[in-house]
Amino acid sequence: MNNFEFYNPTRIIFGEGKISKLDRVIPKNAKVLILFGGESARKTGTLNEVEQALGSRQFDLFGGIEANPRYETLIKAVDKIEKEGFDFLLAVGGGSVIDGVKFVSAAVNYPGDKWEVVTSQGATIKSALPFGTVLTLPATGSEMNKGSVITREELQSKLAFSSDYVFPQFSILDPVKTYTLPVKQISNGVVDAFVHIIEQYLTYPVNAYVQDVFAEGLLKTLIEIGPKALETPHDYDIRANLMWTATLALNGLIGAGVPQDWSTHMLGHEITVLYGLDHAQTLAIVLPSMLNEKLAQKQDKLAQYAEKVWGITTGTAQEKAIKAIELTRNFFEQMHVGTRFSDYQLTQEVIEPLVKSLEAHNMIKLGEHQDITLDVSRRVYTAAL
């Protein structure tokens, strides 16, 4: 196992009706800005619950944060906060809203160009406004980590940053809030969480038994409950387990002390920026091709994955690995998420623009061995047609 530091200060408040606990975890004298996405937060009653739980606190609203949060929108929230003096932020929504609030919290009072928060990968952040979250969509794990991904449309850039300053102080997870989500969002959420785990697990062995068993358990859970989450949307226990699994998938625990990949995410980000596909759709397109491309290097962990997660006990290590990749693709398709560019009416013409975009964003050495070059990325994209 590799050396590591693990730090996660986020308080999790889990269960039905827990929005009422906001009164306990937000300072009584706070001036709160509630940030959210679309009108569904109001229509489902979640915003009303939040407002009631704030009691006599002064608050205002900022809506319209996109599914891939845009700098152009978020900077308007920054301006509002700096002008009106809010001192506590509350994200109400899924990972995109939470990612957006992380940027906003760090950009408020940032002394330089606000975009440096992102381009420095968080290294220049020295402070951030405190914030909490009310999670409504299980997928990204942003409710319990220090990472964020922000899109700047005018630059055609989708970039990640992280900082200890942008851990949420608390996150409220009420599984009932997922009951009204569209089927597509649940499908995407399962795939997103699944690939988060894979990026930290399918690399090479370092004898990290605890992390491996945790990761394998989470993957098996998603395989079991993912289809059920689509079939029985009001099953509390299924939605509760999905919500908690998605959180654990990216709260730092299973990634501590092990090599990590993240190349699938980097290639996927470019697809979203240029062609507008959902984040999870891009991951489903890239991952099977990436695993096939890196089969030789990842074979040991792929064979372990085949045995521990999919129950494949016969065949050579290579045969097990190939079968596991096939079953992974099948699982994504079972969740109604296409795994090829052609599923989204995209053709060979997208390949070179995607590779050029990777180069423009300096994504030229990716993966756990930093050996996924632009040529390798081109092959991965091409194999995904």
Side-chain angles (χ1 to χ4, degrees):
M1 188 189 307
N2 297 334
N3 297 341
F4 68 91
E5 291 185 21
F6 177 73
Y7 171 71
N8 194 316
T10 302
R11 179 193 302 271
I12 296 295
I13 304 169
F14 192 102
E16 184 174 0
K18 292 298 184 180
I19 287 177
S20 62
K21 299 297 182 183
L22 284 171
D23 186 54
R24 175 167 61 85
V25 291
I26 296 179
K28 297 290 186 184
N29 60 348
K31 184 177 181 181
V32 182
L33 183 63
I34 303 167
L35 300 98
F36 60 99
E39 283 305 307
S40 62
R42 177 68 72 188
K43 292 176 181 177
T44 58
T46 301
L47 276 180
N48 290 335
E49 281 187 64
V50 168
E51 291 169 8
Q52 290 175 11
L54 291 177
S56 61
R57 293 171 182 83
Q58 188 177 356
F59 70 85
D60 201 354
L61 302 172
F62 182 91
I65 296 177
E66 302 86 358
N68 291 287
R70 296 177 183 173
Y71 172 86
E72 291 83 355
T73 298
L74 300 172
I75 204 67
K76 296 175 184 177
V78 174
D79 291 342
K80 179 180 178 67
I81 293 163
E82 291 182 341
K83 289 175 182 176
E84 300 179 28
F86 295 93
D87 53 23
F88 198 96
L89 309 182
L90 185 62
V92 178
S96 292
V97 174
I98 298 170
D99 277 14
V101 170
K102 288 177 179 178
F103 169 78
V104 170
S105 73
V108 170
N109 300 322
Y110 185 81
D113 178 357
K114 310 293 189 184
W115 186 234
E116 289 177 3
V117 167
V118 180
T119 57
S120 72
Q121 299 181 326
T124 59
I125 299 172
K126 303 302 179 185
S127 65
L129 280 186
F131 70 95
T133 90
V134 174
L135 182 69
T136 60
L137 172 59
T140 71
S142 190
E143 66 276 4
M144 198 182 181
N145 67 40
K146 62 178 181 177
S148 172
V149 180
I150 303 298
T151 297
R152 188 161 183 178
E153 194 171 46
E154 62 180 324
L155 301 179
Q156 290 193 312
S157 296
K158 183 175 180 180
L159 302 175
F161 75 91
S162 67
S163 169
D164 283 354
Y165 290 105
V166 298
F167 273 109
Q169 289 197 346
F170 64 83
S171 287
I172 294 176
L173 282 59
D174 181 347
V176 174
K177 296 303 171 186
T178 72
Y179 287 0
T180 57
L181 290 171
V183 168
K184 181 182 179 182
Q185 289 188 324
I186 292 296
S187 295
N188 282 347
V190 170
V191 170
D192 196 4
F194 197 94
V195 180
H196 285 162
I197 301 164
I198 291 292
E199 296 271 37
Q200 300 165 86
Y201 170 70
L202 278 184
T203 54
Y204 55 88
V206 292
N207 298 314
Y209 302 129
V210 174
Q211 293 91 321
D212 278 0
V213 171
F214 281 176
E216 289 156 3
L218 295 173
L219 291 168
K220 290 168 69 175
T221 299
L222 288 173
I223 291 166
E224 179 178 349
I225 70 174
K228 294 177 182 177
L230 302 183
E231 296 161 6
T232 56
H234 289 190
D235 186 320
Y236 180 86
D237 287 329
I238 293 296
R239 291 298 176 94
N241 279 282
L242 173 56
M243 201 168 225
W244 189 224
T245 301
T247 300
L248 291 171
L250 199 56
N251 73 344
L253 190 62
I254 65 171
V258 299
Q260 300 185 26
D261 185 344
W262 298 107
S263 59
T264 291
H265 272 70
M266 298 305 101
L267 270 65
H269 287 170
E270 305 302 340
I271 302 173
T272 295
V273 166
L274 294 186
Y275 302 106
L277 271 63
D278 296 344
H279 176 58
Q281 293 172 336
T282 73
L283 302 181
I285 290 170
V286 173
L287 181 67
S289 297
M290 182 66 74
L291 294 179
N292 278 317
E293 172 69 32
K294 306 303 291 183
L295 177 64
Q297 285 179 308
K298 293 180 180 286
Q299 182 172 287
D300 289 343
K301 285 303 287 282
L302 275 164
Q304 179 182 331
Y305 169 58
E307 294 174 10
K308 301 293 186 180
V309 175
W310 293 107
I312 301 168
T313 57
T314 59
T316 64
Q318 185 182 64
E319 289 168 342
K320 290 176 183 177
I322 292 170
K323 183 63 175 176
I325 298 170
E326 178 186 340
L327 289 172
T328 302
R329 184 188 296 276
N330 292 345
F331 175 62
F332 293 164
E333 293 177 350
Q334 183 186 8
M335 293 304 301
H336 309 300
V337 182
T339 60
R340 296 190 182 279
F341 281 114
S342 57
D343 294 324
Y344 307 94
Q345 294 73 55
L346 296 176
T347 66
Q348 177 77 34
E349 294 176 356
V350 307
I351 304 300
E352 287 309 312
L354 287 170
V355 174
K356 288 180 181 177
S357 193
L358 283 170
E359 184 175 20
H361 297 137
N362 200 34
M363 301 296 171
I364 56 177
K365 291 184 178 180
L366 302 173
E368 64 268 28
H369 298 291
Q370 294 289 284
D371 60 352
I372 298 175
T373 63
L374 294 176
D375 285 340
V376 175
S377 294
R378 182 182 287 106
R379 291 202 299 268
V380 171
Y381 282 139
T382 302
L385 289 169

CSV table of all heavy atoms in Angstrom, one decimal, residues 246-299:
chain,number,residue,atom,x,y,z
A,246,ALA,N,-23.0,6.2,-3.7
A,246,ALA,CA,-22.4,7.3,-4.6
A,246,ALA,C,-21.5,8.2,-3.8
A,246,ALA,O,-20.5,8.7,-4.3
A,246,ALA,CB,-23.6,8.1,-5.3
A,247,THR,N,-21.9,8.5,-2.5
A,247,THR,CA,-21.1,9.3,-1.7
A,247,THR,C,-19.7,8.6,-1.3
A,247,THR,O,-18.7,9.2,-1.5
A,247,THR,CB,-21.8,9.6,-0.4
A,247,THR,OG1,-23.0,10.3,-0.7
A,247,THR,CG2,-21.0,10.5,0.6
A,248,LEU,N,-19.8,7.4,-1.0
A,248,LEU,CA,-18.6,6.6,-0.6
A,248,LEU,C,-17.7,6.4,-1.8
A,248,LEU,O,-16.5,6.2,-1.6
A,248,LEU,CB,-19.0,5.3,0.0
A,248,LEU,CG,-19.6,5.4,1.4
A,248,LEU,CD1,-20.1,4.0,1.8
A,248,LEU,CD2,-18.6,5.9,2.4
A,249,ALA,N,-18.3,6.5,-3.0
A,249,ALA,CA,-17.5,6.2,-4.2
A,249,ALA,C,-16.4,7.3,-4.4
A,249,ALA,O,-15.4,7.0,-5.1
A,249,ALA,CB,-18.4,6.2,-5.4
A,250,LEU,N,-16.6,8.5,-3.9
A,250,LEU,CA,-15.6,9.5,-4.1
A,250,LEU,C,-15.5,10.5,-2.9
A,250,LEU,O,-15.4,11.7,-3.1
A,250,LEU,CB,-16.0,10.3,-5.4
A,250,LEU,CG,-14.9,11.2,-6.0
A,250,LEU,CD1,-13.7,10.3,-6.4
A,250,LEU,CD2,-15.5,11.9,-7.2
A,251,ASN,N,-15.4,9.9,-1.7
A,251,ASN,CA,-15.1,10.7,-0.5
A,251,ASN,C,-13.7,10.6,-0.1
A,251,ASN,O,-13.3,11.1,1.0
A,251,ASN,CB,-16.1,10.4,0.6
A,251,ASN,CG,-15.8,9.1,1.3
A,251,ASN,OD1,-15.1,8.2,0.7
A,251,ASN,ND2,-16.4,8.9,2.4
A,252,GLY,N,-12.9,9.9,-0.9
A,252,GLY,CA,-11.4,9.8,-0.6
A,252,GLY,C,-11.0,8.5,0.0
A,252,GLY,O,-9.8,8.2,0.0
A,253,LEU,N,-12.0,7.8,0.6
A,253,LEU,CA,-11.6,6.6,1.4
A,253,LEU,C,-11.0,5.5,0.5
A,253,LEU,O,-10.0,5.0,0.8
A,253,LEU,CB,-12.9,6.1,2.1
A,253,LEU,CG,-12.7,5.0,3.1
A,253,LEU,CD1,-11.8,5.5,4.3
A,253,LEU,CD2,-14.0,4.6,3.7
A,254,ILE,N,-11.7,5.1,-0.6
A,254,ILE,CA,-11.2,4.0,-1.4
A,254,ILE,C,-10.0,4.4,-2.2
A,254,ILE,O,-9.3,3.5,-2.7
A,254,ILE,CB,-12.3,3.4,-2.3
A,254,ILE,CG1,-12.8,4.4,-3.3
A,254,ILE,CG2,-13.5,2.9,-1.4
A,254,ILE,CD1,-13.7,3.8,-4.4
A,255,GLY,N,-9.8,5.7,-2.4
A,255,GLY,CA,-8.6,6.1,-3.2
A,255,GLY,C,-7.4,6.4,-2.4
A,255,GLY,O,-6.3,6.6,-2.9
A,256,ALA,N,-7.5,6.2,-1.0
A,256,ALA,CA,-6.3,6.5,-0.2
A,256,ALA,C,-5.3,5.3,-0.3
A,256,ALA,O,-5.7,4.2,-0.2
A,256,ALA,CB,-6.8,6.6,1.3
A,257,GLY,N,-4.1,5.7,-0.6
A,257,GLY,CA,-3.0,4.7,-0.6
A,257,GLY,C,-3.0,3.8,-1.8
A,257,GLY,O,-2.3,2.8,-1.9
A,258,VAL,N,-3.7,4.2,-2.9
A,258,VAL,CA,-3.7,3.4,-4.1
A,258,VAL,C,-3.5,4.3,-5.3
A,258,VAL,O,-3.8,5.5,-5.3
A,258,VAL,CB,-5.0,2.6,-4.3
A,258,VAL,CG1,-5.2,1.6,-3.2
A,258,VAL,CG2,-6.2,3.5,-4.5
A,259,PRO,N,-2.9,3.7,-6.4
A,259,PRO,CA,-2.8,4.5,-7.6
A,259,PRO,C,-4.2,4.8,-8.2
A,259,PRO,O,-5.1,4.0,-8.1
A,259,PRO,CB,-1.9,3.7,-8.6
A,259,PRO,CG,-2.1,2.3,-8.0
A,259,PRO,CD,-2.3,2.4,-6.6
A,260,GLN,N,-4.3,5.9,-8.9
A,260,GLN,CA,-5.6,6.3,-9.5
A,260,GLN,C,-5.4,6.6,-11.0
A,260,GLN,O,-4.3,7.0,-11.4
A,260,GLN,CB,-6.2,7.5,-8.8
A,260,GLN,CG,-6.5,7.2,-7.3
A,260,GLN,CD,-7.2,8.3,-6.6
A,260,GLN,OE1,-7.9,9.1,-7.2
A,260,GLN,NE2,-7.0,8.4,-5.3
A,261,ASP,N,-6.4,6.5,-11.8
A,261,ASP,CA,-6.3,6.6,-13.2
A,261,ASP,C,-6.9,8.0,-13.7
A,261,ASP,O,-6.2,8.9,-13.9
A,261,ASP,CB,-7.1,5.4,-13.9
A,261,ASP,CG,-7.0,5.4,-15.4
A,261,ASP,OD1,-6.6,6.4,-16.0
A,261,ASP,OD2,-7.3,4.4,-16.0
A,262,TRP,N,-8.2,8.1,-13.8
A,262,TRP,CA,-8.9,9.3,-14.2
A,262,TRP,C,-8.8,9.7,-15.6
A,262,TRP,O,-9.3,10.8,-16.0
A,262,TRP,CB,-8.6,10.5,-13.3
A,262,TRP,CG,-8.9,10.2,-11.8
A,262,TRP,CD1,-8.1,9.9,-10.8
A,262,TRP,CD2,-10.3,10.1,-11.3
A,262,TRP,NE1,-8.8,9.6,-9.7
A,262,TRP,CE2,-10.1,9.7,-9.9
A,262,TRP,CE3,-11.6,10.2,-11.9
A,262,TRP,CZ2,-11.3,9.5,-9.1
A,262,TRP,CZ3,-12.7,10.0,-11.0
A,262,TRP,CH2,-12.5,9.7,-9.7
A,263,SER,N,-8.2,8.9,-16.5
A,263,SER,CA,-8.1,9.2,-17.9
A,263,SER,C,-9.5,9.1,-18.6
A,263,SER,O,-9.8,9.9,-19.5
A,263,SER,CB,-7.2,8.2,-18.6
A,263,SER,OG,-7.6,6.9,-18.5
A,264,THR,N,-10.4,8.2,-18.1
A,264,THR,CA,-11.7,8.1,-18.7
A,264,THR,C,-12.5,9.5,-18.5
A,264,THR,O,-13.1,10.0,-19.4
A,264,THR,CB,-12.5,7.0,-18.1
A,264,THR,OG1,-11.9,5.7,-18.6
A,264,THR,CG2,-14.0,7.0,-18.5
A,265,HIS,N,-12.3,10.0,-17.3
A,265,HIS,CA,-13.0,11.3,-17.0
A,265,HIS,C,-12.4,12.4,-17.9
A,265,HIS,O,-13.2,13.3,-18.4
A,265,HIS,CB,-12.8,11.7,-15.6
A,265,HIS,CG,-13.9,11.1,-14.7
A,265,HIS,ND1,-14.0,9.8,-14.4
A,265,HIS,CD2,-14.9,11.7,-14.0
A,265,HIS,CE1,-15.0,9.6,-13.6
A,265,HIS,NE2,-15.6,10.8,-13.4
A,266,MET,N,-11.1,12.5,-18.1
A,266,MET,CA,-10.5,13.5,-18.9
A,266,MET,C,-11.0,13.5,-20.3
A,266,MET,O,-11.3,14.5,-20.9
A,266,MET,CB,-9.0,13.5,-18.8
A,266,MET,CG,-8.4,13.7,-17.4
A,266,MET,SD,-8.9,15.2,-16.5
A,266,MET,CE,-10.2,14.6,-15.4
A,267,LEU,N,-11.0,12.3,-20.9
A,267,LEU,CA,-11.5,12.1,-22.3
A,267,LEU,C,-13.0,12.4,-22.4
A,267,LEU,O,-13.4,13.0,-23.3
A,267,LEU,CB,-11.2,10.7,-22.8
A,267,LEU,CG,-9.8,10.5,-23.5
A,267,LEU,CD1,-8.6,10.7,-22.6
A,267,LEU,CD2,-9.8,9.1,-24.2
A,268,GLY,N,-13.7,12.1,-21.3
A,268,GLY,CA,-15.1,12.3,-21.3
A,268,GLY,C,-15.4,13.8,-21.2
A,268,GLY,O,-16.4,14.2,-21.8
A,269,HIS,N,-14.7,14.5,-20.5
A,269,HIS,CA,-14.9,16.0,-20.3
A,269,HIS,C,-14.9,16.7,-21.7
A,269,HIS,O,-15.8,17.6,-21.9
A,269,HIS,CB,-13.9,16.6,-19.4
A,269,HIS,CG,-14.1,16.3,-18.0
A,269,HIS,ND1,-13.1,16.6,-17.0
A,269,HIS,CD2,-15.1,15.7,-17.3
A,269,HIS,CE1,-13.5,16.2,-15.8
A,269,HIS,NE2,-14.7,15.7,-16.0
A,270,GLU,N,-14.0,16.3,-22.6
A,270,GLU,CA,-14.0,16.9,-23.9
A,270,GLU,C,-15.2,16.6,-24.7
A,270,GLU,O,-15.6,17.5,-25.5
A,270,GLU,CB,-12.7,16.5,-24.6
A,270,GLU,CG,-11.4,16.7,-23.9
A,270,GLU,CD,-11.1,18.1,-23.5
A,270,GLU,OE1,-11.7,19.0,-24.1
A,270,GLU,OE2,-10.3,18.3,-22.5
A,271,ILE,N,-15.8,15.4,-24.6
A,271,ILE,CA,-17.0,15.1,-25.3
A,271,ILE,C,-18.1,16.0,-24.8
A,271,ILE,O,-18.9,16.5,-25.7
A,271,ILE,CB,-17.3,13.6,-25.1
A,271,ILE,CG1,-16.2,12.7,-25.5
A,271,ILE,CG2,-18.6,13.3,-25.9
A,271,ILE,CD1,-16.4,11.2,-25.2
A,272,THR,N,-18.2,16.2,-23.5
A,272,THR,CA,-19.3,17.1,-23.0
A,272,THR,C,-19.1,18.5,-23.5
A,272,THR,O,-20.1,19.1,-24.0
A,272,THR,CB,-19.3,17.1,-21.5
A,272,THR,OG1,-19.6,15.8,-21.0
A,272,THR,CG2,-20.3,18.0,-20.9
A,273,VAL,N,-17.9,19.0,-23.5
A,273,VAL,CA,-17.7,20.4,-23.9
A,273,VAL,C,-18.0,20.6,-25.4
A,273,VAL,O,-18.7,21.6,-25.7
A,273,VAL,CB,-16.2,20.8,-23.6
A,273,VAL,CG1,-15.9,22.1,-24.3
A,273,VAL,CG2,-16.0,21.0,-22.1
A,274,LEU,N,-17.6,19.7,-26.2
A,274,LEU,CA,-17.7,19.9,-27.7
A,274,LEU,C,-19.1,19.4,-28.2
A,274,LEU,O,-19.6,20.0,-29.2
A,274,LEU,CB,-16.6,19.2,-28.4
A,274,LEU,CG,-15.2,19.7,-28.2
A,274,LEU,CD1,-14.2,19.0,-29.1
A,274,LEU,CD2,-15.1,21.2,-28.4
A,275,TYR,N,-19.7,18.4,-27.6
A,275,TYR,CA,-20.9,17.8,-28.2
A,275,TYR,C,-22.1,17.7,-27.2
A,275,TYR,O,-23.1,17.2,-27.6
A,275,TYR,CB,-20.5,16.4,-28.8
A,275,TYR,CG,-19.4,16.5,-29.8
A,275,TYR,CD1,-18.1,16.1,-29.5
A,275,TYR,CD2,-19.7,17.1,-31.0
A,275,TYR,CE1,-17.1,16.3,-30.5
A,275,TYR,CE2,-18.7,17.3,-32.0
A,275,TYR,CZ,-17.4,16.9,-31.7
A,275,TYR,OH,-16.4,17.1,-32.6
A,276,GLY,N,-21.9,18.2,-26.0
A,276,GLY,CA,-23.0,18.3,-25.1
A,276,GLY,C,-23.6,17.1,-24.5
A,276,GLY,O,-24.7,17.1,-23.9
A,277,LEU,N,-22.9,16.0,-24.5
A,277,LEU,CA,-23.4,14.8,-23.9
A,277,LEU,C,-23.4,14.9,-22.4
A,277,LEU,O,-22.5,15.6,-21.8
A,277,LEU,CB,-22.6,13.5,-24.4
A,277,LEU,CG,-23.2,12.8,-25.6
A,277,LEU,CD1,-23.1,13.7,-26.8
A,277,LEU,CD2,-22.4,11.5,-25.9
A,278,ASP,N,-24.2,14.2,-21.7
A,278,ASP,CA,-24.2,14.1,-20.3
A,278,ASP,C,-22.9,13.5,-19.8
A,278,ASP,O,-22.3,12.6,-20.5
A,278,ASP,CB,-25.3,13.2,-19.7
A,278,ASP,CG,-26.7,13.8,-20.0
A,278,ASP,OD1,-26.8,15.0,-20.4
A,278,ASP,OD2,-27.7,13.0,-19.9
A,279,HIS,N,-22.4,13.9,-18.6
A,279,HIS,CA,-21.2,13.4,-18.1
A,279,HIS,C,-21.1,11.9,-18.1
A,279,HIS,O,-20.2,11.3,-18.5
A,279,HIS,CB,-20.9,14.0,-16.7
A,279,HIS,CG,-19.7,13.5,-16.0
A,279,HIS,ND1,-18.4,13.6,-16.6
A,279,HIS,CD2,-19.6,12.9,-14.8
A,279,HIS,CE1,-17.6,13.1,-15.7
A,279,HIS,NE2,-18.2,12.6,-14.7
A,280,ALA,N,-22.1,11.3,-17.5
A,280,ALA,CA,-22.2,9.8,-17.4
A,280,ALA,C,-22.2,9.1,-18.8
A,280,ALA,O,-21.6,8.1,-18.9
A,280,ALA,CB,-23.4,9.4,-16.6
A,281,GLN,N,-22.8,9.7,-19.7
A,281,GLN,CA,-22.8,9.2,-21.1
A,281,GLN,C,-21.4,9.1,-21.6
A,281,GLN,O,-21.0,8.1,-22.3
A,281,GLN,CB,-23.8,10.0,-22.0
A,281,GLN,CG,-25.2,9.9,-21.6
A,281,GLN,CD,-26.1,10.8,-22.4
A,281,GLN,OE1,-25.6,11.9,-22.9
A,281,GLN,NE2,-27.4,10.5,-22.5
A,282,THR,N,-20.7,10.2,-21.4
A,282,THR,CA,-19.3,10.2,-21.9
A,282,THR,C,-18.4,9.1,-21.2
A,282,THR,O,-17.6,8.5,-21.9
A,282,THR,CB,-18.6,11.6,-21.7
A,282,THR,OG1,-18.3,11.8,-20.3
A,282,THR,CG2,-19.5,12.7,-22.2
A,283,LEU,N,-18.7,8.9,-20.0
A,283,LEU,CA,-17.9,7.9,-19.2
A,283,LEU,C,-18.2,6.5,-19.8
A,283,LEU,O,-17.3,5.6,-19.9
A,283,LEU,CB,-18.2,7.9,-17.7
A,283,LEU,CG,-17.9,9.3,-17.0
A,283,LEU,CD1,-18.3,9.1,-15.5
A,283,LEU,CD2,-16.5,9.7,-17.2
A,284,ALA,N,-19.5,6.3,-20.1
A,284,ALA,CA,-19.9,5.0,-20.6
A,284,ALA,C,-19.3,4.7,-22.0
A,284,ALA,O,-19.1,3.6,-22.4
A,284,ALA,CB,-21.4,4.9,-20.6
A,285,ILE,N,-19.2,5.8,-22.8
A,285,ILE,CA,-18.5,5.6,-24.1
A,285,ILE,C,-17.0,5.3,-23.9
A,285,ILE,O,-16.5,4.4,-24.6
A,285,ILE,CB,-18.7,6.9,-24.9
A,285,ILE,CG1,-20.1,7.2,-25.3
A,285,ILE,CG2,-17.8,7.0,-26.1
A,285,ILE,CD1,-20.4,8.5,-25.9
A,286,VAL,N,-16.4,6.0,-23.1
A,286,VAL,CA,-14.9,5.9,-23.0
A,286,VAL,C,-14.4,4.7,-22.3
A,286,VAL,O,-13.4,4.0,-22.7
A,286,VAL,CB,-14.3,7.2,-22.4
A,286,VAL,CG1,-12.8,7.1,-22.2
A,286,VAL,CG2,-14.6,8.4,-23.3
A,287,LEU,N,-15.0,4.4,-21.1
A,287,LEU,CA,-14.4,3.4,-20.2
A,287,LEU,C,-14.2,2.0,-20.9
A,287,LEU,O,-13.1,1.5,-20.8
A,287,LEU,CB,-15.3,3.2,-19.0
A,287,LEU,CG,-14.7,2.2,-18.0
A,287,LEU,CD1,-13.3,2.7,-17.4
A,287,LEU,CD2,-15.7,1.9,-16.9
A,288,PRO,N,-15.2,1.4,-21.6
A,288,PRO,CA,-14.9,0.1,-22.1
A,288,PRO,C,-13.7,0.1,-23.1
A,288,PRO,O,-12.8,-0.8,-23.1
A,288,PRO,CB,-16.2,-0.3,-22.8
A,288,PRO,CG,-17.2,0.4,-22.1
A,288,PRO,CD,-16.6,1.8,-21.7
A,289,SER,N,-13.6,1.1,-24.0
A,289,SER,CA,-12.6,1.3,-24.9
A,289,SER,C,-11.2,1.5,-24.2
A,289,SER,O,-10.2,1.0,-24.6
A,289,SER,CB,-12.8,2.4,-25.9
A,289,SER,OG,-14.0,2.1,-26.6
A,290,MET,N,-11.2,2.3,-23.2
A,290,MET,CA,-10.0,2.6,-22.4
A,290,MET,C,-9.5,1.3,-21.8
A,290,MET,O,-8.3,1.0,-21.8
A,290,MET,CB,-10.3,3.6,-21.4
A,290,MET,CG,-9.0,4.0,-20.5
A,290,MET,SD,-7.7,4.8,-21.5
A,290,MET,CE,-8.4,6.4,-21.8
A,291,LEU,N,-10.4,0.5,-21.2
A,291,LEU,CA,-10.0,-0.7,-20.5
A,291,LEU,C,-9.4,-1.7,-21.6
A,291,LEU,O,-8.4,-2.4,-21.3
A,291,LEU,CB,-11.1,-1.4,-19.8
A,291,LEU,CG,-11.7,-0.6,-18.6
A,291,LEU,CD1,-12.8,-1.3,-17.9
A,291,LEU,CD2,-10.6,-0.3,-17.6
A,292,ASN,N,-10.0,-1.8,-22.7
A,292,ASN,CA,-9.5,-2.7,-23.8
A,292,ASN,C,-8.1,-2.2,-24.3
A,292,ASN,O,-7.2,-3.0,-24.5
A,292,ASN,CB,-10.5,-2.7,-25.0
A,292,ASN,CG,-11.6,-3.7,-24.8
A,292,ASN,OD1,-11.4,-4.8,-24.3
A,292,ASN,ND2,-12.8,-3.3,-25.1
A,293,GLU,N,-8.0,-0.9,-24.4
A,293,GLU,CA,-6.7,-0.3,-24.8
A,293,GLU,C,-5.6,-0.6,-23.8
A,293,GLU,O,-4.4,-0.9,-24.2
A,293,GLU,CB,-6.8,1.2,-25.0
A,293,GLU,CG,-5.5,1.9,-25.3
A,293,GLU,CD,-4.9,1.6,-26.6
A,293,GLU,OE1,-5.7,1.3,-27.6
A,293,GLU,OE2,-3.7,1.7,-26.7
A,294,LYS,N,-5.9,-0.6,-22.5
A,294,LYS,CA,-4.9,-0.8,-21.5
A,294,LYS,C,-5.0,-2.2,-20.9
A,294,LYS,O,-4.5,-2.4,-19.7
A,294,LYS,CB,-5.1,0.3,-20.4
A,294,LYS,CG,-5.1,1.7,-20.9
A,294,LYS,CD,-3.8,2.1,-21.7
A,294,LYS,CE,-2.6,2.1,-20.8
A,294,LYS,NZ,-1.4,2.5,-21.5
A,295,LEU,N,-5.5,-3.1,-21.6
A,295,LEU,CA,-5.7,-4.5,-21.1
A,295,LEU,C,-4.5,-5.1,-20.5
A,295,LEU,O,-4.5,-5.6,-19.4
A,295,LEU,CB,-6.3,-5.3,-22.2
A,295,LEU,CG,-6.5,-6.8,-21.9
A,295,LEU,CD1,-7.6,-7.0,-20.8
A,295,LEU,CD2,-7.0,-7.6,-23.1
A,296,ALA,N,-3.4,-5.0,-21.2
A,296,ALA,CA,-2.1,-5.6,-20.8
A,296,ALA,C,-1.7,-5.0,-19.4
A,296,ALA,O,-1.3,-5.8,-18.5
A,296,ALA,CB,-1.0,-5.5,-21.8
A,297,GLN,N,-1.7,-3.7,-19.3
A,297,GLN,CA,-1.2,-3.1,-18.1
A,297,GLN,C,-2.2,-3.3,-16.9
A,297,GLN,O,-1.7,-3.4,-15.7
A,297,GLN,CB,-1.0,-1.6,-18.3
A,297,GLN,CG,0.3,-1.3,-19.1
A,297,GLN,CD,0.4,0.2,-19.3
A,297,GLN,OE1,-0.5,0.9,-19.8
A,297,GLN,NE2,1.6,0.8,-18.9
A,298,LYS,N,-3.4,-3.4,-17.2
A,298,LYS,CA,-4.4,-3.5,-16.1
A,298,LYS,C,-4.9,-4.9,-15.9
A,298,LYS,O,-5.8,-5.2,-15.1
A,298,LYS,CB,-5.7,-2.6,-16.5
A,298,LYS,CG,-5.4,-1.1,-16.5
A,298,LYS,CD,-6.7,-0.3,-16.8
A,298,LYS,CE,-6.5,1.2,-16.9
A,298,LYS,NZ,-6.4,1.7,-15.5
A,299,GLN,N,-4.3,-5.9,-16.6
A,299,GLN,CA,-4.8,-7.2,-16.6
A,299,GLN,C,-4.9,-7.8,-15.2
A,299,GLN,O,-5.9,-8.5,-14.9
A,299,GLN,CB,-3.9,-8.1,-17.4
A,299,GLN,CG,-4.4,-9.6,-17.5
A,299,GLN,CD,-3.6,-10.4,-18.5
A,299,GLN,OE1,-3.8,-10.2,-19.7
A,299,GLN,NE2,-2.8,-11.3,-18.0
